[in-house]
Amino acid sequence: MKSAWNDADAKEAIARYGKAGIGADLALRVYTTRLLGRDPQLVLHGGGNTSVKTRVTDLNGEETDVLCVKGSGWDMATIDPPGMPAVRLDALKRLRARKAMSDDEMVRVQRANLIDPASPNPSVETLLHAFVPHKFVDHTHSAAVLGLIDQPDGPARAREVYGDRMGLVPYILPGFGLAKKSAEAFDADPSVEGLILEKHGIFTFGADAREAYERMIAMVTRAEEYLARGRKAVFVSAQLPQQVATQTDIAPILRGACALPDAKTEGAWKRFVLDFRSGAAVLNFVNGADVSRYSQAGVITPDHTIRTKNWPLIAPAPRAGREADFRAQVRDAVATFVKHYEDYFARNNARVGGDRIMLDPAPRVILVPGLGLFGLGTSKKDARVAADLAEAAVDAITAAEATGRFESISEADMFDCEYWPLEQAKLGSAKPLPLAGQVAVITGAGGAIGAATAKAFAQAGAEVALLDRDLTAAQAKAKAIGGAALAVPCDVTDAASVAKAFEAVAAHFGGVDILVSNAGAAWQGKIGEVDESVLRQSFELNFFAHQKMAQGAVKIMRAQGTGGCLLFNVSKQAVNPGPNFGPYGLPKAATLFLVRQYALDYGADGIRANAVNADRIRSGLLTDDFIKARSQARGLTEKDYMSGNLLGREVTAEDVAQAFLHQALELKTTADITTVDGGNIAAALR
């Protein structure tokens, strides 16, 4: 591992933050924190922390000594000065004289001594940073250091690698107790350059930001070099099928097997989004004949438990062409996993007094021999976090097994950390959005109605895939939505393009829960005079494309086994045909009945089918030129033409999007056609 320190960049950070009134100490603290945070071999997703002891002016205008420490949950890779709350240092140092302190009291004392009351909570390891006298203190969860110390003889190995340069601290849950133990280890030899915390990570110290940072790099490098010397072959491979099923074939099966039925609402599920990882290191790990031992031994550092749980689910190796067998085997494996988790919770909850409330028992990491691993989360972001941490575990456990034998903390310690309120607080307590964990596919998403629908579904918590023949338009709309919104090229009239699009969605998110089949175009002409090719062209887009999309979605939904929702954009032409619109209205009428047929044929699978019947929406169908021509032909202003309905209100793409969203949320509604036109009795269904 090499130092990324750059004098020019350090000076630039001082100058840039200085313009905002930030001193050089904090500017360099932020600079080196980012250097550490951007290296996934050191920290991941809110892990690790850093601090600097400096002086600031408080709200009374008085200069005071403070500890600026990383705020709880902030990401070191992107941190800025607001993520380093300043706490009065003398107040923190006096706490060392205490014999004991509860977590709640520790948090209250730290918050009571914030310079800015609006600052985020300081790190749970704030007191450790305060009790060590060095100006700059860095802490990471280096994969190499964890590979070195996560072994039965980890302390001896650490002593062999570092000699007297690093102090050793036995495992203890973070907080006041760990801070005291670490301070005692430092006092035993104040010459140490840092501390190795058993089963937890590494701290380094320095008089300036560069010294603390480069000591971290140096100490991690020593661990890497030790692990590389005399490294034996790792993980004899198990016997695997000659042909393994593909990621896109099994992802929906895994996703459905891990979904949890909602005990309060019939037909509702807690679903998970997936994130897939593979590669030589991952395959070496998941293919190991002894994977049921080393993968189930526990977490590499307690900080991971709230994101990955304490062990992954091991799936059977999926044979190509035997997906039905795989589905049954996976469901058995998940049931076993859930029972194991429930028993683990019951044992340990009784041990601590029985006052904990069990988290959901679903796995957050799945190992699939022959294929790779999946991270699971209620959003794509959370799934990526789980997958990133799982890959870090692969690296650390592989390193430990290559030089000895991996050993985690005890089950009791894992439980105490998983159900530790200060760790749970990192996840937040906000009520989940109604479509959290669900994946919605929207066609024609580069247009007005499709884009508005994708935005509405994303705001409701869904992960959205925006399909459009015009990929550039879909990408622009996806970028505007942000998050994990995915743009996928798709010609909905082409079966191969549709199949490829669904494969892309399944590969990215793991499956599909909602289809909004929206793409369409309006062909005109008197029905008795229109060329047959025009009629066939309209049927391809306005009927058969809906059928292709619905078939692809249903295939995935049935593999998942958690129901789903098919939503179609039909038109008022389907029930109230207008003159010269037969080429458009006829396939739309067929699509209206297609909706009801899907509702009839797949209701037993929990798959709902509904449609929105909209009229006069500014979109690719109803262009500005078309609106102008129609208005002039009727002797109306454009405003009067667009609001020519019973309510006298123009209907927008956003109104249609809200109708689709309503149908997606109504778990006991199917075969419904919702009219969104401001009121047109002639188009009302009866």
Side-chain angles (χ1 to χ4, degrees):
M1 181 167 285
K2 294 183 179 180
S3 169
W5 176 279
N6 180 282
D7 285 336
D9 290 343
K11 290 178 182 177
E12 189 276 332
I14 293 173
R16 173 161 44 91
Y17 290 121
K19 293 177 182 178
I22 305 298
D25 283 348
L26 184 54
L28 290 175
R29 176 69 289 173
V30 169
Y31 169 64
T32 54
T33 299
R34 287 188 167 201
L35 294 184
L36 294 170
R38 73 188 189 191
D39 190 334
Q41 290 297 309
L42 296 175
V43 293
L44 287 167
H45 303 296
N49 37 73
T50 61
S51 69
V52 60
K53 298 175 181 71
T54 187
R55 290 180 66 80
V56 301
T57 302
D58 66 16
L59 296 179
N60 292 322
E62 299 174 354
E63 277 214 347
T64 185
D65 293 324
V66 297
L67 177 78
C68 292
V69 63
K70 195 199 82 164
S72 182
W74 277 70
D75 193 326
M76 289 171 62
T78 57
I79 201 165
D80 275 317
M84 303 287 298
V87 193
R88 296 181 187 277
L89 182 58
D90 288 341
L92 297 178
K93 289 164 68 174
R94 286 196 297 271
L95 295 177
R96 189 178 171 188
R98 301 275 293 269
K99 291 184 178 180
M101 176 178 284
S102 71
D103 294 332
D104 287 343
E105 187 179 7
M106 180 181 72
V107 171
R108 288 200 305 272
V109 170
Q110 290 174 180
R111 285 211 62 83
N113 285 283
L114 285 169
I115 295 299
D116 181 354
S119 295
N121 279 344
S123 165
V124 298
E125 287 160 339
T126 292
L127 295 185
L128 195 161
H129 287 262
F131 293 171
V132 172
H134 286 273
K135 185 177 180 70
F136 285 83
V137 178
D138 294 351
H139 169 45
T140 75
H141 301 137
S142 158
V145 172
L146 292 170
L148 173 73
I149 62 176
D150 282 3
Q151 304 199 41
D153 58 349
R157 289 175 184 267
R159 186 62 69 201
E160 179 183 351
V161 171
Y162 298 116
D164 293 332
R165 294 180 64 184
M166 300 290 284
L168 299 179
V169 183
Y171 176 77
I172 185 173
L173 192 71
F176 181 74
L178 178 60
K180 291 266 288 187
K181 285 286 185 184
S182 299
E184 291 167 5
F186 177 84
D187 289 347
D189 184 0
S191 69
V192 296
E193 300 168 45
L195 298 172
I196 300 294
L197 276 58
E198 187 178 2
K199 305 290 195 294
H200 185 83
I202 176 174
F203 279 77
T204 54
F205 319 133
D208 57 52
R210 182 172 187 174
E211 183 178 45
Y213 165 72
E214 293 194 334
R215 278 180 172 174
M216 178 65 71
I217 301 304
M219 296 306 172
V220 171
T221 300
R222 291 179 72 88
E224 291 175 337
E225 291 170 348
Y226 172 86
L227 294 172
R229 289 196 300 269
R231 182 168 174 148
K232 67 177 186 287
V234 187
F235 310 142
V236 175
S237 181
Q239 188 173 359
L240 299 172
Q242 288 187 340
Q243 290 187 312
V244 178
T246 67
Q247 171 202 348
T248 53
D249 283 335
I250 72 159
I253 296 172
L254 293 172
R255 186 167 178 261
C258 293
L260 301 169
D262 189 323
K264 297 180 180 179
T265 306
E266 186 178 10
W269 295 82
K270 178 173 183 176
R271 296 176 171 94
F272 297 97
V273 180
L274 304 187
D275 192 70
F276 179 68
R277 304 295 169 86
S278 193
V282 170
L283 287 172
N284 181 47
F285 187 90
V286 303
N287 292 349
D290 206 16
V291 66
S292 61
R293 174 186 61 80
Y294 54 75
S295 74
Q296 303 297 292
V299 289
I300 60 171
T301 178
D303 295 68
H304 289 185
T305 185
I306 59 171
R307 301 286 191 178
T308 65
K309 293 198 181 293
N310 295 311
W311 54 84
L313 168 70
I314 304 174
R319 295 178 183 274
R322 302 286 292 275
E323 285 78 10
D325 293 342
F326 179 75
R327 181 180 180 185
Q329 293 167 347
V330 166
R331 289 185 178 274
D332 287 344
V334 171
T336 299
F337 182 98
V338 169
K339 180 64 166 59
H340 178 42
Y341 186 88
E342 290 171 342
D343 291 345
Y344 148 84
F345 175 81
R347 280 193 305 273
N348 287 281
N349 192 36
R351 174 180 58 84
V352 299
D355 61 346
R356 305 294 195 272
I357 298 175
M358 191 177 78
L359 303 169
D360 81 67
R364 292 302 189 272
V365 176
I366 304 175
L367 309 182
V368 186
L371 203 60
L373 67 80
F374 291 86
L376 287 77
T378 52
S379 67
K380 183 64 177 179
K381 178 182 177 181
D382 288 344
R384 283 174 176 156
V385 169
D388 283 345
L389 297 180
E391 282 200 283
V394 165
D395 290 342
I397 294 173
T398 300
E401 290 283 321
T403 56
R405 186 180 181 90
F406 172 68
E407 180 184 77
S408 183
I409 56 178
S410 70
E411 178 186 281
D413 286 329
M414 284 190 278
F415 180 88
D416 291 345
C417 194
E418 183 178 8
Y419 284 87
W420 187 31
L422 296 187
E423 281 294 282
Q424 288 297 320
K426 293 180 182 179
L427 299 179
S429 57
K431 183 179 179 181
L433 293 169
L435 293 181
Q438 298 200 50
V439 178
V441 172
I442 300 99
T443 68
I449 293 174
T453 302
K455 181 180 179 181
F457 276 62
Q459 289 175 339
E463 302 297 340
V464 292
L466 292 84
L467 277 56
D468 203 287
R469 187 172 56 181
D470 183 347
L471 179 60
T472 301
Q475 288 172 331
K477 303 301 184 183
K479 184 178 180 181
I481 291 171
L486 176 70
V488 180
C490 183
D491 179 352
V492 293
T493 66
D494 181 79
S497 180
V498 168
K500 190 174 181 180
F502 276 117
E503 287 178 0
V505 175
H508 192 73
F509 294 120
V512 175
D513 304 295
I514 301 164
L515 167 68
V516 182
S517 191
N518 164 70
W523 280 267
Q524 300 180 50
K526 284 189 176 182
I527 196 63
E529 301 172 12
V530 69
D531 189 89
E532 184 177 315
S533 63
V534 172
L535 195 58
R536 289 185 179 277
Q537 194 175 5
S538 182
F539 262 92
E540 280 298 327
L541 178 58
N542 294 312
F543 173 75
F544 285 109
H546 291 295
Q547 165 67 349
K548 289 183 178 71
M549 291 302 303
Q551 281 183 316
V554 163
K555 181 181 178 181
I556 293 176
M557 290 173 183
R558 295 187 75 196
Q560 292 169 168
T562 53
C565 186
L566 305 174
L567 301 174
F568 300 83
N569 189 346
V570 299
S571 165
K572 82 98 175 174
Q573 294 295 326
V575 292
N576 176 219
N580 299 323
F581 268 94
Y584 178 56
L586 285 169
K588 282 294 188 179
T591 298
L592 186 151
F593 281 89
L594 182 72
V595 174
R596 292 175 172 172
Q597 196 65 49
Y598 269 99
L600 181 64
D601 288 347
Y602 294 101
D605 294 299
I607 297 173
R608 296 170 289 121
N610 298 299
V612 170
N613 167 24
D615 189 31
R616 293 193 188 180
I617 313 297
R618 295 180 188 270
S619 65
L621 298 182
L622 205 63
T623 63
D624 290 342
D625 288 342
F626 183 90
I627 293 169
K628 182 178 181 180
R630 282 277 174 171
S631 302
Q632 290 176 346
R634 299 190 182 190
L636 299 171
T637 66
E638 290 186 24
K639 181 180 183 303
D640 287 340
Y641 173 73
M642 292 303 293
S643 59
N645 52 54
L646 297 179
L647 296 176
R649 301 169 186 168
E650 180 175 346
V651 182
T652 68
E654 287 71 23
D655 296 321
V656 180
Q658 289 301 312
F660 278 130
L661 179 59
H662 171 76
Q663 290 181 329
L665 294 171
E666 292 302 312
L667 298 178
K668 297 182 180 179
T669 297
T670 191
D672 173 64
I673 311 297
T674 296
T675 299
V676 184
D677 62 4
N680 175 7
I681 292 299
L685 290 168
R686 53 191 180 274

